[in-house]
Amino acid sequence: MTSQRTLSIIKPDAVKRNITGKIIQKFEDGGLSIIAQKRMLLTKEKAEAFYSVHKARPFYNDLVSFMTSGPVVVQVLEGDNAIQRNRDIMGATNPEEADSGTIRAEYALNIEANSVHGSDSEDNAVIEISFFFDPSEINA
Ligand code: IDP
Ligand code: MG
């Protein structure tokens, strides 16, 4: 097993409902440690840049509006196989397809307001962590 780091975002729907603690409990119970964390309101420019890979998708503008609709909590999670492990803890993008016990099955409102983001590959984890955190902010 290799220790990895991944970028996590607790999305506005979850922050608004005051369930960041419940979501963090899922990460910790699943073997992931929070090694950096901050709460922020994303600007439109920052949300557009973060999701630029989805620019051509029909849901892109709605997604940017949603991600800027309230504060988010961005985190660096660390642990064995953290990237896939976090995706497993999150569950499928669409909560109707998410396995029971996953964050999205329990807390997501719909396919857009699905409570959490997690990096999907080693390359994207590195890019996404540096998008939000200076190395000096990460204390392993
Ligand atoms: P992921 O978050 O599970 O990696 P992606 O396909 O990368 O899923 O999509 C990024 C985000 O865009 C999703 O988490 C969700 O908030 C939103 N999204 C994805 N597909 C749809 C859709 O069909 N309608 C509305 N929003 C969507
Ligand atoms: Mg994705």
Side-chain angles (χ1 to χ4, degrees):
M1 293 273 242
T2 337
S3 184
Q4 292 179 331
R5 292 175 175 184
T6 191
L7 190 277
S8 163
I9 306 177
I10 303 179
K11 295 184 179 182
D13 66 287
V15 175
K16 270 188 193 134
R17 284 177 289 150
N18 214 23
I19 55 171
T20 60
K22 292 189 164 105
I23 289 173
I24 287 168
Q25 193 69 60
K26 294 273 196 196
F27 295 143
E28 293 183 342
D29 288 347
L32 298 174
S33 302
I34 297 165
I35 60 165
Q37 176 168 264
K38 57 192 169 190
R39 176 178 152 125
M40 63 173 70
L41 188 57
L42 294 179
T43 61
K44 185 166 180 277
E45 292 68 31
K46 190 116 174 147
E48 283 174 347
F50 184 75
Y51 278 119
S52 61
V53 62
H54 294 307
K55 209 173 188 126
R57 309 283 286 278
F59 57 81
Y60 177 70
N61 287 332
D62 276 354
L63 176 60
V64 169
S65 298
F66 163 62
M67 290 299 290
T68 57
S69 66
V72 297
V73 174
V74 295
Q75 308 166 308
V76 181
L77 306 179
E78 186 175 73
D80 283 336
N81 205 18
I83 296 161
Q84 186 57 46
R85 187 179 286 237
N86 183 37
R87 299 287 303 191
D88 293 345
I89 295 167
M90 288 163 54
T93 309
N94 183 348
E96 289 175 14
E97 293 165 10
D99 290 341
S100 64
T102 61
I103 291 170
R104 283 165 165 173
E106 286 192 20
Y107 301 121
L109 299 177
N110 52 58
I111 193 171
E112 178 182 80
N114 59 6
S115 303
V116 278
H117 166 86
S119 305
D120 63 6
S121 67
E122 286 186 60
D123 287 350
N124 282 337
V126 170
I127 292 166
E128 292 179 358
I129 289 169
S130 67
F131 188 86
F132 285 109
F133 292 94
D134 186 86
S136 68
E137 295 177 295
I138 302 169
N139 306 113

